[in-house]
Amino acid sequence: MDALEKGVHVTEADPTDQSVGYGGLPDRDGRVTVDSCVMDEFGNCGAVMCLEHILHPVSVARLVMDLKFALSEGFEKINLLTPEAEKAWKNWLKTSKYDPMITVEHLEERNRKQKKQVPGQQDNHDTIGMLALDMNGNLSGACSTSGMAYKMAGRVGDSPIIGAGLFVDNEVGAATATGVGEEIVRICGTHTIVEMMRNGLSPEEACKKAVERIVKR
Ligand code: GLY
């Protein structure tokens, strides 16, 4: 869990990543809100949603798991809206078109798009999900996001929801998700994947079947 927390911190603090933490694109009111969850080998879990001004929501989720809370624990309040994300949001406001889609074409073109990002262009989804297996064979997981760009204020996706954005079963395996949260929640995505693995599917087969279930829906 220590390694996961530090690992997720890297992406949460990266201003060039537009769907996690600092630099994440804001909701349609211009506010960057973040969701996160963690789960360990004992089934302990913690989640936070719609946090503002907190650089490392994954650490708050961990404190929630440990039954402590963010500001009383000394988390600093910071402005997550970078000048770049604010500029992109202002450009988006000109059309206010909210159309989150993830397509194969998008994934293929993603590198190119990221190199030449049009301000305000709605990038598709990222989210940081990380799983770890320690030296004793114990699993943990963490997930963190600023959610879909230009989401409705208060909208929460899959990332802070155990069984949707993250699920850990120390006897079987673990899964974490990225993509359009509304779709992942509908099939309890990561729990579904771990259950398929429990029934003998490989991780790759289980992920493929879960994605196929989303497509079918
Ligand atoms: N997968 C992150 C979200 O939809 O908010």
Side-chain angles (χ1 to χ4, degrees):
M1 187 55 74
D2 291 336
L4 289 172
E5 191 179 355
K6 294 287 179 228
V8 170
H9 279 186
V10 174
T11 310
E12 286 178 334
D14 180 353
T16 66
D17 191 311
Q18 295 192 312
S19 64
V20 178
Y22 187 61
L25 289 171
D27 66 20
R28 57 190 63 179
D29 298 327
R31 292 159 46 192
V32 180
T33 60
V34 290
D35 312 323
S36 183
C37 71
V38 294
M39 188 170 187
D40 73 10
E41 72 266 29
F42 305 110
N44 296 319
C45 42
V48 290
M49 51 185 75
C50 226
L51 282 191
E52 280 189 87
H53 308 296
I54 298 294
L55 181 60
H56 291 306
V58 72
S59 297
V60 187
R62 187 172 181 188
L63 286 172
V64 169
M65 182 174 79
D66 296 340
L67 301 179
K68 296 174 193 159
F69 292 100
L71 294 174
S72 64
E73 287 299 313
F75 276 82
E76 191 191 346
K77 188 173 168 181
I78 74 159
N79 182 9
L80 297 177
L81 189 66
T82 56
E84 291 75 19
E86 185 172 17
K87 189 172 162 198
W89 166 61
K90 287 192 170 148
N91 208 49
W92 175 81
L93 284 177
K94 290 177 191 159
T95 57
S96 297
K97 187 164 177 280
Y98 184 67
D99 186 21
M101 290 279 290
I102 292 195
T103 62
V104 172
E105 289 74 24
H106 167 77
L107 294 174
E108 284 169 351
E109 288 176 21
R110 182 173 154 168
N111 284 345
R112 187 156 46 83
K113 276 177 68 179
Q114 281 187 340
K115 276 183 198 137
K116 204 181 166 189
Q117 185 87 30
V118 178
Q121 180 178 5
Q122 186 148 356
D123 196 8
N124 284 299
H125 227 263
D126 222 331
T127 297
I128 172 77
M130 197 176 284
L131 305 173
L133 181 67
D134 74 12
M135 285 191 303
N136 300 316
N138 290 320
L139 286 166
S140 297
C143 185
S144 185
T145 192
S146 54
M148 302 305 293
Y150 319 123
K151 63 193 176 186
M152 190 176 285
R155 174 264 185 199
V156 171
D158 60 309
S159 299
I161 300 175
I162 298 297
L166 174 68
F167 195 70
V168 176
D169 184 324
N170 213 37
E171 287 182 6
V172 178
T176 183
T178 182
V180 179
E182 286 80 349
E183 305 299 340
I184 297 161
V185 166
R186 276 188 193 105
I187 67 152
C188 289
T190 53
H191 181 262
T192 295
I193 289 166
V194 173
E195 284 307 295
M196 289 186 198
M197 287 159 60
R198 189 193 307 281
N199 291 327
L201 265 61
S202 70
E204 188 175 347
E205 288 166 340
C207 290
K208 186 163 182 282
K209 283 221 174 298
V211 171
E212 285 168 357
R213 190 176 293 183
I214 288 174
V215 171
K216 191 171 168 210
R217 278 199 165 229

